[in-house]
Amino acid sequence: MSIEFKLPEVSEGVNEAEISSITVKEGDSISAGSVVMEVETEKAVAEIECPHAGTVSKIHVSEGDSVPIGAVLLTIAESNGAPAQEEAKSAEPKEEKEEPKAEKPAKEQEPPKKEESKPSSPQPAQQTQPTTSEAGKIPPPATPSTRRLARELGVDLHQVNGTGPGGRITVEDVQGFVRQLTSGGGSGGGGPVTAPPLPDFSQYGEVERRKLSKLERTAASHLSMAWQVIPHVTQHDLADITNLEESRKTFMSTVGKNGPKVTMTAVAVKAAVNALKAYPNFNASYDAQSGELVLKQYYNIGIAVDTPYGLVVPVIKNADKKSILDIAQETTELAIKARDRKLSMDEMQGGTFTITNLGGIGGTGFTPIVNYPEVAILGMCRSRNELRLDQGEIVERMMMPISLSYDHRVINGADAARFVSKLVRSFSDMFQLLTDC
């Protein structure tokens, strides 16, 4: 007897995944619980365990394929009649129970037909209908990643004209719709810009094409949209961290030796929360449709983490209620999970402000792109010793460059300068930082 093993639910709200690696081949014998492949969602990687024992008779997907939840991954010839049959009976009803949740009653029989063959492009849209449709409306065709972007931006897909095959709504369609709502307020102005086709580079020499991972494609799409929608301005300054750095190193070599490593990023999280409380407009989102500013009464700080697989931004929730030691511990744990590709979707959602620290690499300043729908982001660069004049005397001080990019639609230059000045004072005065906490 043959068993069809289908892609199970990877995490809540994820309707599609990309096959990043397949760890078995046709003819392999596997035991129940064996890892047969890894799949990549928009922000994380998950191992897929097969609950069936037997021989892999057919692999229905290839590395790089994007497949919906419930798509057939493997056909397995049972090696032991009773156990495999029991697993099939216990697993298949679960799939059947999940399908009605993803379809209207009249459509209940349609998904199984599509799952018997290689998943076609309309299938993800059908499976995600319940999460995006409104009462009495038929959900427009769109991939799960497009629907997710629309939810993040607050876009009703019924109002978007699809330019993809069969009228399918693409990520670019959603981005263009948002740009129109902002009335040309994006950095480029003049509405959407379509990149011209690339020339044939092979005429100049040898080239190689590498397909971007799902994570890289998602990041590229989001950053492109944020840059075009938000009119960016960046405020630069230098923070004197001489006393702060001395205190940090002393703490880490004495009482904090056996605790979490207190980095400048952890300190910056606390300093940012204090500045956000003083200037609430920075802890907000701009609703272009209503012309309102959504002021958030919680402080969730995103930390940009560089990984071999791309940039991810885990979020420290309720940072205002945590000590610097708590933040240091959580920052370390999230960074490890990010590099191991073990972050959950919940750990990367809900941010109100983002910090990106390039101090470990170098640089004297840069323009970080605001993490939409936030309205500001703080960039930090490598600190350096500089000679300064202090009460008529030349002294050596450790200065850290900081760069604040912000949405000029809701934040004016004067407020940005005040916000940065408060950050500089917090970094420069350890006592003020501790008392503000």
Side-chain angles (χ1 to χ4, degrees), residues 224-302:
S224 176
M225 179 275 300
W227 181 253
Q228 295 183 62
V229 170
I230 297 174
H232 281 67
V233 179
T234 305
Q235 178 82 14
H236 303 281
D237 209 332
L238 289 170
D240 186 341
I241 62 169
T242 307
N243 299 334
L244 177 61
E245 184 64 5
E246 289 177 356
S247 299
R248 188 186 70 83
K249 288 183 176 179
T250 300
F251 175 80
M252 291 306 302
S253 63
T254 54
V255 294
K257 183 166 53 177
N258 298 321
K261 183 179 180 181
V262 178
T263 63
M264 195 56 68
T265 298
V267 175
V269 170
K270 209 60 182 175
V273 168
N274 296 335
L276 292 171
K277 288 182 176 180
Y279 301 97
N281 279 18
F282 290 79
N283 198 58
S285 289
Y286 176 57
D287 186 342
Q289 294 189 23
S290 65
E292 297 175 330
L293 191 62
V294 182
L295 298 168
K296 301 160 189 175
Q297 306 303 315
Y298 52 92
Y299 302 88
N300 297 342
I301 309 300

Side-chain angles (χ1 to χ4, degrees), residues 356-411:
T356 175
N357 188 353
L358 299 182
I361 302 175
T364 59
F366 64 109
T367 300
I369 297 178
V370 176
N371 188 15
Y372 189 92
E374 298 168 14
V375 295
I377 180 173
L378 175 66
M380 302 162 60
C381 286
R382 175 177 290 176
S383 55
R384 60 184 184 271
N385 290 323
E386 293 186 359
L387 296 180
R388 295 271 164 162
L389 191 63
D390 182 16
Q391 297 181 353
E393 294 185 2
I394 297 178
V395 295
E396 186 178 55
R397 308 296 292 178
M398 180 172 285
M399 309 300 293
M400 181 177 69
I402 60 175
S403 303
L404 178 80
S405 291
Y406 57 92
D407 187 338
H408 207 8
R409 295 174 300 177
V410 296
I411 298 171

